[in-house]
């Protein structure tokens, strides 16, 4: 299993396209898919749970009618979270036995109207996860061509080591932003670089637009002159800061706003100078580097 790098530098996240967010109609989804491609965002991020297990299906119906060629896009999805919403479960939990993983992948393929997944991820680590069970399912899915690559989401380096004793892992999608930079220090991105894994960041804008606290205020102060220097808005600089990291992190953006999609795509052209990168980090942390 070899890592491919045909994913767009910025990934378009579909979590809010359906019932968990904008409740886009089929035609609106088609329009947004085409706009994403125009911006160069060819990779779409899903999970079976989005929209309480309904958004993959909504996306798939739109994709079939969009006229977009399957080879022109990349589809990522995740499995393993069992919710009480949308399924007959007594409690939210995780399930990673071999039969369930295969069933989940096949369900996602049916809903997305696709005959293969470019990347298939275990959504969250489970204390009951057995590496050999996961490996058995993934090997079957890879051998059948139903998935092209296997990865994980929200895994620590030690959990990666544990699972990789049975199956190679080609990517890890974790929370990462200027206001949440743990993966730079807890070994997550070191592991991605050392093992040539695709690093992805969910919630890449962090708390910047959500909270008004001391951390955000410090960042805003440093951000002001940089916006003029780089002729960029705040969201673009937040993405450019992520893109500067040597793990070659792919931010997963959640917006359905066309202009913001376009601006996000343009962030990949910003080459942030190291001292500006550190100025933002220092503002976020509230202290100088050691």
């Amino acid at each position: 299993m070899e890592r491919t790098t045909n994913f767009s530098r910025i990934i378009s996240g579909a979590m809010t396209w359906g019932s968990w967010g904008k409740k886009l109609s089929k035609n609106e989804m088609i329009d947004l898919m085409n706009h994403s491609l125009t911006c160069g965002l060819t990779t779409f991020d899903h999970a079976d749970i989005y929209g309480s297990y309904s958004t993959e299906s909504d996306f798939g119906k739109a994709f079939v009618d969009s006229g977009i060629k399957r080879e022109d896009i990349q589809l990522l999805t995740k499995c393993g979270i069992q919710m009480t919403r949308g399924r007959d479960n007594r409690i939210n939990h995780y399930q990673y036995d071999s039969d369930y993983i295969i069933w989940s992948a096949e369900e996602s393929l049916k809903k997305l109207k696709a005959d293969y997944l470019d990347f298939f991820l275990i959504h969250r680590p489970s204390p009951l996860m057995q590496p050999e069970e996961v490996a058995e399912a993934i090997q079957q899915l890879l051998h059948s061509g139903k998935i092209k690559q296997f990865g994980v989401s929200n895994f620590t380096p030690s959990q990666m080591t544990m699972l990789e004793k049975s199956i190679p892992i080609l990517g890890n999608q974790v929370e990462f932003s200027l206001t949440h930079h743990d993966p730079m220090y807890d070994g997550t991105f070191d592991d991605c670089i050392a093992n040539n894994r695709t690093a992805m960041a969910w919630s890449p804008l962090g708390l910047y637009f959500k909270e008004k606290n001391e951390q955000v205020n410090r960042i805003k102060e440093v951000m002001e002159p940089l916006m003029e220097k780089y002729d960029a808005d705040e969201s673009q600089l937040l993405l450019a800061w992520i893109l500067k990291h040597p793990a070659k992190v792919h931010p997963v953006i959640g917006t359905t706003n066309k202009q913001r999609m376009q601006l996000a795509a343009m962030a990949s052209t910003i080459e942030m100078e190291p001292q500006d990168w550190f100025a933002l980090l220092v503002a976020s942390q509230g202290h100088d580097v050691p």
Side-chain angles (χ1 to χ4, degrees), residues 7-8 17 19 28 45 53 67 78 86 96 113 135 138 150 163 170 177 188 197 200 203 208 220 234 278 289:
F7 303 126
S8 54
W17 288 32
S19 67
E28 286 171 332
D45 178 84
Y53 304 98
K78 315 174 196 75
Y96 293 123
K113 308 292 187 189
I138 297 307
F150 167 65
L163 184 55
L170 297 188
S177 66
T188 299
R197 308 192 209 277
M200 294 165 277
S203 194
Y208 188 84
K220 281 182 181 290
E234 294 160 299
F278 275 103
V289 296

Side-chain angles (χ1 to χ4, degrees), residues 169-184:
I169 303 168
L170 297 188
N172 193 6
Q173 184 179 126
V174 297
E175 182 180 7
F176 179 60
S177 66
L178 183 55
T179 59
H180 182 89
H181 30 68
D182 292 0
M184 295 195 305

Side-chain angles (χ1 to χ4, degrees), residues 47-59:
D48 58 353
I49 62 168
Y50 294 164
S52 300
Y53 304 98
S54 68
T55 301
E56 284 181 326
S57 182
D58 293 338
F59 185 97

Side-chain angles (χ1 to χ4, degrees), residues 1 131 150 155 157-170 191 195 197:
M1 184 166 55
F150 167 65
F155 272 53
S158 66
Q159 289 163 340
M160 302 283 277
T161 301
M162 177 267 294
L163 184 55
E164 199 158 48
K165 82 181 187 72
S166 297
I167 186 79
I169 303 168
L170 297 188
D191 168 80
N195 294 289
R197 308 192 209 277

Side-chain angles (χ1 to χ4, degrees), residues 30-42:
I30 291 171
D31 188 39
L32 202 57
M33 285 178 201
N34 280 299
H35 181 72
S36 294
L37 267 60
T38 300
C39 294
L41 310 183
T42 61

Side-chain angles (χ1 to χ4, degrees), residues 155-264:
F155 272 53
T156 66
S158 66
Q159 289 163 340
M160 302 283 277
T161 301
M162 177 267 294
L163 184 55
E164 199 158 48
K165 82 181 187 72
S166 297
I167 186 79
I169 303 168
L170 297 188
N172 193 6
Q173 184 179 126
V174 297
E175 182 180 7
F176 179 60
S177 66
L178 183 55
T179 59
H180 182 89
H181 30 68
D182 292 0
M184 295 195 305
Y185 298 106
D186 64 12
T188 299
F189 287 161
D190 298 340
D191 168 80
C192 287
I193 294 170
N195 294 289
N196 196 31
R197 308 192 209 277
T198 299
M200 294 165 277
W202 58 267
S203 194
L205 303 184
L207 299 176
Y208 188 84
F209 296 106
K210 297 176 183 176
E211 301 277 344
K212 292 183 178 179
N213 57 31
E214 288 185 15
Q215 181 190 39
V216 171
N217 289 338
R218 290 194 304 265
I219 296 170
K220 281 182 181 290
E221 191 175 334
V222 173
M223 191 80 82
E224 197 68 37
L226 297 182
M227 291 165 66
E228 184 176 352
K229 176 177 179 177
Y230 291 101
D231 189 23
D233 74 6
E234 294 160 299
S235 63
Q236 289 178 304
L237 290 175
L238 290 169
L239 293 173
W241 186 87
I242 289 174
L243 294 168
K244 181 77 175 175
H245 194 277
K248 296 182 172 61
V249 186
H250 294 255
V252 180
I253 61 168
T255 186
T256 59
N257 179 288
K258 287 184 176 181
Q259 185 181 8
R260 287 202 286 269
M261 275 187 171
Q262 198 162 357
L263 288 170

Side-chain angles (χ1 to χ4, degrees), residues 50-107:
Y50 294 164
S52 300
Y53 304 98
S54 68
T55 301
E56 284 181 326
S57 182
D58 293 338
F59 185 97
K61 289 169 186 171
F63 173 61
V64 163
D65 290 348
S66 69
I68 296 169
K69 294 177 182 176
R70 176 64 184 90
E71 60 267 27
D72 290 342
I73 66 169
Q74 302 83 47
L75 294 174
L76 283 71
T77 199
K78 315 174 196 75
C79 81
I81 299 179
Q82 286 274 28
M83 297 173 60
T84 55
R85 283 185 291 167
R87 285 192 180 166
D88 187 22
N89 290 316
R90 287 184 291 108
I91 191 170
N92 291 342
H93 63 287
Y94 308 121
Q95 184 171 351
Y96 293 123
D97 61 89
S98 182
D99 288 344
Y100 179 76
I101 292 171
I102 292 170
W103 177 85
S104 289
E106 291 174 344
E107 276 292 294

